[in-house]
Amino acid sequence: MDRGINTRCLHLEETEGKTDNYGSLSFPIYQTATYAHPGVGRSTGYDYSRLQNPTRAHLEKIVAGLEYGTDAFALSTGMAAITLLFELFKPGDHIISEADLYGGSIRLFEHVSKKNGYEFTFLNCSESDIEAAVKPNTKAIYIETPTNPMMNVSDITHISEIAKKHDLLLIVDNTFLSPYFQNPLKLGADVVIHSGTKFLGGHNDTLAGFIVTNRDDISEKLRFLIKTTGAGLAAFDSWLLIRGIKTLGLRMEKAQKNAQVLAEWLGKQKYVKEVFYPGLPTHPGHEIIKKQARGFGSMITFNVDTQEHALKILEEVRMIKYAESLGGTETLITYPTTQTHADVPEEVRLKNGITPCTLRLSTGIEDVEDLVAELERVFLTLI
Ligand SMILES: *Cc1c(COP(=O)(O)O)cnc(C)c1O
């Protein structure tokens, strides 16, 4: 039987009983660029840290285990992970992508991938007929669920059936729920992406990215690419991720509890027009997310009535920080129009539902009474 997810956040079965680190409970930081060879033609298994480093390797095994993958790759940022993954494609390849994606992913696809000759079709994957968009040169489907920031939920199993039928790679950016709540590989995806900067690191203190797969052919290509292109995660940052992941479950549960309270509270405010949180029974993706995930996460997007009110909220918050990013211990509020999604063309933003009245909240693990008190104080300044 599989060990539980909280245990897998802390223990790696294959290193149990190993004593060569003096029994150190904290995994050592191998701060080294290179490794001495025991003899000609011999290796300790490590030759140069761009290829691999023991601290990074330990982290990769933990993350592979959390996502039920056979291999994982730790990179310097989430964007470095997506960039490396896209080296699998070649000019002329077509990719069907969710339209409402993290703004940085859209920027990468529009300004770098297209220059490299990749073609894209952007769809709302929770509503559109994905199969109708498949062309002879289609190679992959790229989704986020829930999406950033509009929280649309798409059915991973259903999309994986389309991908399998047409021999396409299904790539899921699982940043918003983390492996604690959702495991796309178990639902038929081939590759999972994470911004490790968010829930996995969890403390708003370091950047990281992951690619996880259960396909040996993909894993072999990615090992070659990480060695060749060189964006592997540094040893110290790998250690910060190992440390962050130890409390993934505790943080996700607490942040989710806070999010449910704040989503319900926001729904009762007169200046709030819409709340997008999949934990609300009124959310259109509520039943699908219940079927494919173990939780709803801690990201809430909401629309207020006017842009003035949206900006006033950002001016007035104190304990809740007006900052981009998400998934950390501290609650953050973001303005997608000028922050995370500023580089997305205005007409695309509006089509996806991101308006100047849209705010995105990432709930942290503070006492929920204090978060409500902060929001009550901020909302009293709106007139
Ligand atoms: C933040 C984010 C990324 C990019 O990750 P970085 O670590 O900031 O490079 C990718 N996808 C999603 C869903 C994100 O939220």
Side-chain angles (χ1 to χ4, degrees), residues 144-164:
E144 287 177 10
T145 177
T147 60
N148 180 358
M150 295 318 295
M151 306 304 292
N152 301 322
V153 174
S154 50
D155 187 329
I156 301 174
T157 306
H158 169 67
I159 298 173
S160 84
E161 283 158 7
I162 298 170
K164 285 200 172 52

Side-chain angles (χ1 to χ4, degrees), residues 66-69 141 143-146 153-165 168-174 177-192 212-214 287-295:
L66 295 181
E67 281 291 14
Y68 297 92
I141 304 174
I143 64 169
E144 287 177 10
T145 177
V153 174
S154 50
D155 187 329
I156 301 174
T157 306
H158 169 67
I159 298 173
S160 84
E161 283 158 7
I162 298 170
K164 285 200 172 52
K165 185 168 156 202
L168 313 176
L169 217 55
L170 175 58
I171 304 162
V172 181
D173 181 334
N174 199 28
L177 288 184
S178 92
Y180 185 75
F181 284 139
Q182 180 169 271
N183 296 118
L185 296 180
K186 281 194 122 179
L187 300 165
D190 303 288
V191 179
V192 164
V212 194
T213 184
N214 51 11
E287 291 307 320
I288 297 171
I289 199 170
K290 266 185 11 198
K291 187 187 73 169
Q292 68 187 12
R294 295 175 290 275

Side-chain angles (χ1 to χ4, degrees), residues 76-82 101-105 142 144 146-148 173-176 193-198 206-209 299 325-326 340 360:
S76 55
T77 66
M79 291 321 300
I82 303 171
L101 288 182
Y102 171 66
S105 305
Y142 186 97
E144 287 177 10
T147 60
N148 180 358
D173 181 334
N174 199 28
T175 299
F176 264 34
I193 290 283
H194 279 286
S195 168
T197 312
K198 317 294 170 55
T206 191
L207 301 181
M299 298 301 299
S325 203
L326 60 108
T340 51
R360 192 193 73 186

Side-chain angles (χ1 to χ4, degrees), residues 22-35:
Y22 305 101
S24 168
L25 276 197
S26 165
F27 197 88
I29 304 169
Y30 285 91
Q31 189 63 47
T32 185
T34 191
Y35 305 82

